[in-house]
């Protein structure tokens, strides 16, 4: 019997990735922290996902929610549906192509208890490319970029984390009304902007999530550069009041991260014109260029 006290609801959203989904589910069930409910929200899969994970459903190891195609409204709607059905006071998200290391939730819950004023805990990742274990690279959790405490302004400058590393108090997600269902890109980034205006953050300085990258997948959202650009414009407009409060130095730093992200996404999408565009933005923007050069000099000197 799952206890309500300190219950963590793991929300996995999925679409047509049944083999990877099983790995994600197993990583939740194998957590050293045992007071977890696993919720799988299936966003209109047509690859026989439900039958493939039938044993988990029948053995009550997971709560399975299916969204039919005619009711499908995107990944953020699916995540919000998972939040709505969660019984825990804490929510942790997991993308269906990622995995948690076994102590992920235990260490995050310990961090949450050690800092009662904190409602948001994150951690580092190990990147894996195309399911090749030899390609795994642990994230370098640098003190200058990944921090604890009040990150209300820091989150405006660069992405703090991805979806699969987040553990957050459910009451805070309800307070900000969850994920923005208008967004298809940078969903967790935009949500983090709102969360970190109302709570402090705690970082577990360990790589506790296996984050998978699939190169050459043209259907992968992260490889669709135009959609990402629309999302960036939407987020900047939505949070204009917050961005306007950044200093010139902070705004220059924000642009550096944005341009580098744009270049990387353009490379993945195979779009030379977008690579050139974001490289040109970096060159022509004097403020950004000065900050970039200074950062490079500091790295070389150290």
């Amino acid at each position: 019997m799952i206890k309500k006290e300190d219950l963590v609801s793991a929300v996995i959203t999925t679409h047509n990735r049944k083999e990877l989904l099983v790995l994600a589910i197993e990583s939740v069930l194998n957590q050293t922290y045992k007071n977890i409910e696993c919720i799988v929200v299936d966003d209109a899969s047509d690859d026989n996902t439900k039958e493939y994970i039938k044993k988990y459903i029948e053995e009550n190891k997971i709560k399975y929610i299916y969204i039919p195609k005619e009711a499908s409204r995107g990944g953020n709607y699916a995540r919000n549906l998972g939040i709505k059905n969660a019984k825990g006071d804490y929510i942790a998200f997991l993308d269906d192509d990622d995995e948690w290391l076994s102590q992920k939730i235990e260490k995050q819950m310990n961090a949450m208890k050690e800092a009662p004023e904190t409602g948001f805990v994150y951690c580092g990742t190990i990147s894996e490319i195309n399911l090749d274990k030899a390609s795994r690279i642990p994230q370098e959790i640098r003190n200058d970029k990944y921090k604890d405490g009040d990150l209300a302004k820091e989150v405006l400058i660069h992405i703090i984390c991805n979806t699969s590393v987040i553990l957050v108090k459910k009451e805070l997600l309800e307070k900000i009304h969850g994920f923005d269902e208008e967004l298809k890109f940078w969903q967790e980034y935009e949500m983090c902007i709102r969360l970190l205006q109302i709570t402090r953050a705690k970082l577990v300085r360990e790589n506790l999530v296996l984050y998978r990258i699939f190169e050459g997948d043209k259907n992968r959202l992260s490889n669709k550069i135009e959609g990402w650009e629309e999302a960036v414009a939407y987020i900047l407009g939505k949070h204009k009041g917050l961005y306007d409060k950044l200093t010139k130095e902070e705004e220059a730093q924000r642009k550096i991260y944005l341009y580098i992200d744009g270049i990387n996404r353009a490379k993945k999408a195979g779009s030379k014109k977008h690579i050139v565009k974001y490289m040109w933005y970096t060159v022509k923007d004097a403020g950004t260029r000065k900050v970039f050069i200074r950062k490079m000099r500091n790295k070389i000197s150290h």
Side-chain angles (χ1 to χ4, degrees):
M1 186 73 177
I2 294 176
K3 296 180 296 181
K4 179 67 170 69
E5 183 182 0
D6 297 337
L7 175 64
V8 175
S9 297
V11 175
I12 307 175
T13 51
T14 189
H15 176 73
N16 286 346
R17 281 181 174 156
K18 58 186 181 183
E19 291 89 356
L20 289 171
L21 173 60
V22 167
L23 298 178
I25 291 172
E26 286 290 339
S27 78
V28 173
L29 300 180
N30 290 330
Q31 290 294 299
T32 55
Y33 187 90
K34 295 304 180 184
N35 198 20
I36 300 178
E37 67 166 352
C38 184
I39 302 171
V40 174
V41 184
D42 185 344
D43 189 13
S45 291
D46 55 12
D47 66 345
N48 205 29
T49 288
K50 184 176 182 180
E51 186 64 25
Y52 196 78
I53 62 171
K54 184 178 179 181
K55 69 172 184 177
Y56 297 105
I57 301 171
E58 291 180 342
E59 294 173 6
N60 292 319
K61 290 183 176 179
I62 67 171
K63 179 189 291 185
Y64 178 78
I65 301 169
Y66 182 74
I67 303 173
K69 187 174 182 179
E70 62 272 16
S72 177
R73 289 162 51 187
N76 282 351
Y77 171 74
R79 292 186 182 99
N80 286 340
L81 189 60
I83 296 168
K84 183 179 179 181
N85 282 273
K87 294 180 179 178
D89 289 331
Y90 304 90
I91 307 282
F93 300 99
L94 179 58
D95 288 346
D96 60 1
D97 54 347
D98 295 338
E99 291 181 49
W100 290 343
L101 274 62
S102 64
Q103 291 185 297
K104 192 257 190 189
I105 297 299
E106 179 182 358
K107 291 188 175 183
Q108 287 189 309
M109 283 296 288
N110 287 340
M112 187 81 79
K113 295 300 179 66
E114 290 169 2
E117 75 283 1
T118 295
F120 180 102
V121 178
Y122 67 118
C123 63
T125 62
I126 300 170
S127 297
E128 179 186 272
I129 301 174
N130 298 333
L131 296 174
D132 179 9
K133 292 183 179 180
S135 71
R136 292 182 179 179
I137 301 176
Q139 179 180 354
E140 182 186 357
I141 308 176
R142 304 196 320 264
N143 291 335
D144 63 329
K145 185 176 180 182
Y146 301 101
K147 303 174 182 178
D148 296 311
D150 182 359
L151 303 185
K153 184 172 280 191
E154 189 79 17
V155 71
L156 299 172
I157 298 171
H158 66 89
I159 294 175
I160 298 295
C161 58
N162 64 49
T163 315
S164 296
V165 308
I166 297 171
L167 174 72
V168 63
K169 291 179 179 177
K170 184 182 179 182
E171 63 182 295
L172 297 178
L173 288 170
E174 292 174 333
K175 188 173 183 178
I176 66 165
H177 306 294
F179 288 84
D180 186 332
E181 294 178 14
E182 297 298 317
L183 274 172
K184 289 184 171 59
F185 299 81
W186 266 11
Q187 302 101 319
E188 68 270 37
Y189 172 58
E190 193 281 328
M191 183 193 70
C192 286
I193 290 175
R194 288 179 287 127
L195 274 174
L196 292 172
Q197 305 309 306
I198 62 172
T199 190
R200 295 172 67 84
K202 184 71 176 178
L203 171 61
V204 177
R205 293 187 174 275
E206 295 184 53
N207 297 314
L208 299 173
V209 173
L210 182 58
Y211 172 68
R212 290 197 173 94
I213 302 166
F214 294 91
E215 295 180 334
D217 182 359
K218 298 298 181 182
N219 294 318
R220 189 174 176 84
L221 283 178
S222 58
N223 294 342
K224 296 182 178 180
I225 188 74
E226 288 87 359
W228 170 77
E229 289 180 326
E230 291 175 4
V232 170
Y234 175 87
I235 292 168
L236 288 173
K238 181 176 180 178
H239 298 293
K240 184 177 184 300
L242 295 175
Y243 284 110
D244 285 348
K245 294 177 182 179
L246 294 177
T247 65
K248 289 183 178 180
E249 174 89 359
E250 290 165 343
E251 175 64 10
Q253 290 177 338
R254 183 192 70 78
K255 287 182 177 180
I256 288 172
Y257 288 115
L258 178 66
Y259 297 161
I260 290 174
D261 197 7
I263 291 169
N264 289 333
R265 287 174 185 268
K267 287 179 179 178
K268 291 177 182 178
S271 176
K272 291 183 180 179
K273 71 174 184 178
H274 285 95
I275 294 173
V276 171
K277 179 170 78 170
Y278 286 105
M279 291 181 72
W280 170 241
Y281 283 172
T282 304
V283 171
K284 78 179 183 67
D285 192 318
T288 299
R289 189 168 65 250
K290 289 177 182 177
V291 172
F292 182 77
I293 291 172
R294 185 162 64 251
K295 282 180 174 290
M296 290 302 100
R297 283 176 176 168
N298 289 339
K299 282 188 177 182
I300 292 171
S301 65
H302 288 89

